Amino acid sequence: MSSLGGLALLSLSLLSPALAQDDEIVWGAVIITSFGDRIPLLSPQYSELTSYGAQQMNSLGSAFRNRYIENGSSDNGMNRTIQGISRDALDNLQTSITTMYDIFVQQSTSAFMTGLYPPLNSSSNSTAPDRDVLYNSTFTPGPLSNLQYPQLYTASFLDPNYIYLNASASCLNFQSSYSTYLSSAQYSTLSNSTGPALESLSSAITSALPHTPLTAANAYLLYDYLRYTQLHSSDPTAHITPAALAQTRATASALYQEIYGNTTADSGIRAIGGAGLASFIGTSLLSNTQTNGTQYKLSIASTGDESLVSLFALLGVADLHEEFLGLPELGSAAGFEMYSLSSAALVGVDAFPSEDDLRVRFLLKNGTEEIGSFSVLGRGERDADWGLGEFLSKLGSVVGASGPGEWCERCGGGGVFCGWYTEGEVGVPGNEDGVEGSRGLSPVVAGVIGAMVTLGVVGLVLIAVMILFGVRFARSGRGVVGGGFGRRKEATAAGGSGASAGAGHKRKSSGLGGFKGAEKLASDIDLPKGGSGGFGATVTPTEEGGHRRVESWELREGRGRVEEQQDDIKAVDSREHV
């Protein structure tokens, strides 16, 4: 063979990988995290994250930082750095972080973020962000090696947005379905087959928890307790064999798979936790596209095992990967990565691809394992990635409840906010005619009407006094910027106070389908629905360059009235555990 022929073949061999596969450009990702090692729920102590659990979550954050921020590494050598994402200093306009009210979940989220955006460790003003350098060029380091402070949105069970993280909690129809399962033949089979193994754990449990029944219904709580004692307790009587611990975990997984992962029982109500997360995922991806990839580059939601088991069941992850059936490992996360091929045309000022050119892949990091991509929603392994539009349509078909109103209807109530989303009440979305329903006014609605009538009467009396006696009222002093519990208002850069100032700058919020309210602008766009489900939120960029996800029409109508209901709530447990 001539030397020219050899060079030509060599050139073709070098070019063939590029010809066979385009490079990928990642525009954003949605990450659903679990929690790390914690004090068990059965412990007399409050369940909090341990230092070992914090390390687990920090490592999890570091893994996603390595993929999306710092090195852009992946299993096939492609660079997956998210386009335009801040590399070192956390930009809260690029991230959306939502967590549950449970303290160990909040702490897990914070630990995850220290891995995703670790302390800056800046030692001079040459590497420090502008905000950390004073007017005279003096660098002022923050505490703990310049620890960065992410903006977290914490949703309690009083918040309608809680349903996107833990939709099964407080869902009456879910609780009814769970009770039905405990009296079913399926549960009897599980209980009979695992009963002897659970009873054998008595020596390791009864001394510390003498009143805890060693039954299959408590398998998750027992495993949670035993896993912790195996790792932390120095008392040899608290230890069991690895085989016994594995058996307890298997029983807990079987229980949770039936309670939270059964997608067909009682019209799929048991998997409603996964439907809430699916709504979060869909709306977060859409939020990124509607800002042309400039915001929502990383949307993060922290949840519990219940919702993750439901999500994996709805996505059909275990259908092809049985190792993911049941409980996820501590410090696990699921991801949804949105990308385009380098050959796709980029349009507009922000040079963003069209929706037709965007694709989505599912990622999973189960505990200490590496981040891997897997097929979901029935897609085969050879073509595991989806076009964005097709993915959202398919995802929407498994959601089943896209907003608080639909959740309340599907669950038969249960949330303290459901009175504002139920049909048949005056002024409630869903009753378009505004006619009082058969149930009449709710106590809260009646209270509001009574208060307004009282204010009206007082106003008439004051007007009469002013007319008859010549009384006049004058305002003195300056108004106060702010006012209202939980509704702080801040002055704009141009100054101002009161309502006008509050409109200029509001707390950033993140979420979906009615998620975290913010300014409602004329440019707001309704998100499309896919299949029988959908994503009922809107998102819009702000004039300041910030990003706000604006709630669905249901939540916009009900937000103010929900806050009035919340004022009357005294104390309720923030989470129910099976």
Side-chain angles (χ1 to χ4, degrees), residues 120-130 132-134 137-142 146:
L120 287 172
N121 290 315
S122 301
S123 59
S124 68
N125 58 14
S126 61
T127 58
D130 292 341
D132 294 337
V133 180
L134 303 182
S137 299
T138 301
F139 168 63
T140 306
N146 232 7

Side-chain angles (χ1 to χ4, degrees), residues 21-33:
Q21 184 179 29
D22 283 335
D23 288 336
E24 296 175 0
I25 303 174
V26 179
W27 299 97
V30 182
I31 303 173
I32 312 296
T33 70

